[in-house]
Amino acid sequence: MLIIILISVVIYLAVKHEDGEDNQSSPTMITSSSFGTHEGKEVTQYTLKNNKGTVIKILNYGGIITNILVPDKNGKNGDICLGFDDMKGYATNGPYFGALIGRYANRIANGRFTIDGKTYQLDINNGPNALHGGKVGFDKRLWDSKVVGDVLELTYVSADGEENYPGEVKVTVRYQLTEDNELVIRYSATTSAKTVINLTNHAYFNLAGQGSGTIFDHNVTINADKYTPVDSTSIPTGDISDVQGTAWDLRTKTNIGEVIHSVPGGVGYDHNYCFGKTGWQKYMARVEHPSSGRFLEMYSTEPGVQFYTSFYLNETGKGGAAYEKFGAFCLEAQHYPDSPNKPNFPTTLLAPSETYLQTTTYKFGVM
Ligand SMILES: *[C@@H]1O[C@H](CO)[C@@H](O)[C@H](O)[C@H]1NC(C)=O
Ligand SMILES: *[C@@H]1O[C@H](CO)[C@@H](O)[C@H](O)[C@H]1NC(C)=O
Ligand SMILES: *[C@@H]1O[C@H](CO)[C@@H](O)[C@H](O)[C@H]1NC(C)=O
Ligand SMILES: *[C@@H]1O[C@H](CO)[C@@H](O)[C@H](O)[C@H]1NC(C)=O
């Protein structure tokens, strides 16, 4: 009898182990539905849902994250990601809500750069400069999409000469929602000829819920000793300076409302923090919203993060929500601004023999 009981226990434990009751890697579900059309082609919205109650919706158009629903301390879900209700909103998408930005995120001065003595002139779409990949950047393209287990895989082939950039670039972006409540974004890209590349996702967050006023009641920590100071045109001076003793020192938890007006320039935070280039994901930042109990942490392999507190925001978003100045924050994983002209900054050049890789993680939770 005893032996039978023992055998049963052993079998039970073995089966339990095999089943993996705390199977970390599984049951995020991905479903899809139609989100209208773009130039006559169907746009698909994917819904990633894990067993923590988190729901993230992503389009194959621009790889746009349209919704992030996470529970607050009472278990009530709220959408903490800014965006639009339909394709009509995203067809213009002035603030680049939730979108993948490429081939080259941010400005290239005069839309001009030189590789191996050859100068390339990009389309000018932002004053005298080229911004966010040109007239039709990666954010306004329909990507190929497929679901691989709990991963949404988006791919886009940017033709040689598209937006006047050299080289055919193949980009893959993998979105994964884990059972640990992390949205992991993995980028990879290769090129047929030397080119420049700088990819990011431009999600805007408000942990109180999208459209619920300013982020002054959020507390932020940015784990960086250094930042890149800028001149009056927002171009880095080339220095890598200590945050110590400045409004950029956010190494200890700081209330955003208390410090935002003391940032020189008068437009709040829109600055790059330095972490250096590594092969692993570094802990970069944490933002908390005490009254809902929500927090967001960010990790990335990139050398920098842009902390932007949405000074220029002025849109009508999902459900008619008013998105006002200081109504959201962005934590954009990135290369330091103006790197092509700053030999001491990590390079943004990509050669055919290389593979561009980036992993960035946003972790959500309640305190
Ligand atoms: C555990 O995760 C693995 C990898 O995703 C999966 O193949 C397996 O079916 C999962 N097991 C259970 C019981 O969910
Ligand atoms: C947020 O910051 C404020 C002001 O610095 C502080 O009083 C408060 O305790 C912080 N909240 C939390 C939950 O840390
Ligand atoms: C915000 O946009 C609206 C509509 O485009 C405009 O009327 C208003 O002046 C803008 N507000 C600010 C502060 O720029
Ligand atoms: C890369 O893109 C980010 C996000 O737009 C931007 O802030 C950063 O300045 C860019 N880096 C370079 C080197 O242009």
Side-chain angles (χ1 to χ4, degrees):
M1 185 63 190
L2 187 63
I3 288 177
I4 290 172
I5 289 173
L6 272 176
I7 289 173
S8 306
V9 166
V10 167
I11 289 173
Y12 171 79
L13 285 175
V15 167
K16 186 177 174 202
H17 181 74
E18 220 170 78
D19 271 351
E21 275 205 345
D22 26 47
N23 198 339
Q24 292 291 309
S25 53
S26 205
T28 290
M29 297 286 296
I30 303 184
T31 54
S32 65
S33 58
S34 173
F35 195 75
T37 58
H38 169 67
E39 292 173 350
K41 292 197 184 108
E42 169 113 358
V43 175
T44 303
Q45 184 176 49
Y46 291 90
T47 300
L48 290 63
K49 189 173 179 188
N50 71 7
N51 66 14
K52 296 276 198 312
T54 295
V55 177
I56 298 183
K57 299 188 182 192
I58 300 169
L59 304 180
N60 62 347
Y61 172 82
I64 292 172
I65 303 172
T66 59
N67 307 75
I68 301 178
L69 290 108
V70 287
D72 65 9
K73 63 185 176 193
N74 301 315
K76 191 170 165 289
N77 257 3
D79 189 350
I80 61 162
C81 169
L82 278 63
F84 299 109
D85 283 322
D86 52 28
M87 275 306 294
K88 196 162 160 276
Y90 287 116
T92 41
N93 196 7
Y96 298 87
F97 286 141
L100 295 175
I101 313 291
R103 176 182 308 194
Y104 197 92
N106 218 302
R107 286 176 189 78
I108 294 187
N110 303 312
R112 208 176 295 134
F113 61 94
T114 301
I115 298 174
D116 294 341
K118 183 161 190 251
T119 298
Y120 296 90
Q121 179 63 57
L122 306 174
D123 278 327
I124 301 300
N125 63 336
N126 181 263
N129 303 320
L131 177 71
H132 286 340
K135 284 203 181 74
V136 188
F138 290 3
D139 62 296
K140 293 195 174 55
R141 305 282 180 178
L142 210 50
W143 294 54
D144 287 331
S145 52
K146 65 175 180 194
V147 173
V148 184
D150 60 351
V151 173
L152 170 61
E153 188 175 292
L154 302 177
T155 50
Y156 178 66
V157 179
S158 171
D160 186 1
E162 181 183 289
E163 293 290 332
N164 291 344
Y165 287 98
E168 180 190 80
V169 169
K170 294 190 177 128
V171 196
T172 302
V173 178
R174 295 181 176 85
Y175 284 109
Q176 181 181 27
L177 173 62
T178 72
E179 290 307 312
D180 291 332
N181 246 4
E182 298 161 329
L183 174 63
V184 185
I185 313 175
R186 293 186 179 85
Y187 304 74
S188 65
T190 54
T191 183
S192 64
K194 254 192 203 174
T195 191
V196 290
I197 193 154
N198 183 32
L199 304 177
T200 197
N201 177 283
H202 213 313
Y204 287 67
F205 302 101
N206 184 321
L207 300 182
Q210 57 102 20
S212 50
T214 70
I215 50 159
F216 293 165
D217 57 352
H218 290 46
N219 290 356
V220 65
T221 311
I222 297 182
N223 187 35
D225 299 333
K226 309 268 187 194
Y227 76 111
T228 47
V230 291
D231 66 17
S232 59
T233 67
S234 290
I235 294 294
T237 59
D239 294 332
I240 294 179
S241 300
D242 289 329
V243 296
Q244 177 75 45
T246 73
W248 291 283
D249 189 349
L250 301 174
R251 290 174 296 178
T252 56
K253 197 192 311 185
T254 307
N255 174 253
I256 292 179
E258 279 179 17
V259 288
I260 197 162
H261 297 295
S262 65
V263 182
V267 298
Y269 292 94
D270 192 8
H271 295 88
N272 173 62
Y273 286 85
C274 304
F275 293 84
K277 183 79 185 148
T278 57
W280 63 88
Q281 292 195 77
K282 302 163 289 286
Y283 162 62
M284 291 186 162
R286 176 178 166 105
V287 180
E288 298 179 348
H289 181 247
S291 60
S292 68
R294 293 193 185 99
F295 74 82
L296 176 157
E297 280 175 2
M298 191 223 178
Y299 303 79
S300 181
T301 54
E302 287 290 275
V305 64
Q306 188 84 1
F307 179 48
Y308 173 53
T309 47
S310 303
F311 181 80
Y312 300 101
L313 192 57
N314 177 26
E315 292 283 337
T316 302
K318 285 180 277 186
Y323 297 154
E324 54 181 286
K325 187 202 293 194
F326 301 131
F329 66 91
C330 301
L331 287 165
E332 299 157 69
Q334 64 177 9
H335 272 262
Y336 308 166
D338 202 33
S339 300
N341 299 310
K342 299 283 189 301
N344 60 323
F345 289 0
T347 181
T348 52
L349 270 179
L350 184 69
S353 59
E354 301 165 334
T355 301
Y356 171 97
L357 291 173
Q358 177 194 150
T359 304
T360 295
T361 296
Y362 295 110
K363 183 176 170 66
F364 310 101
V366 284
M367 297 183 264

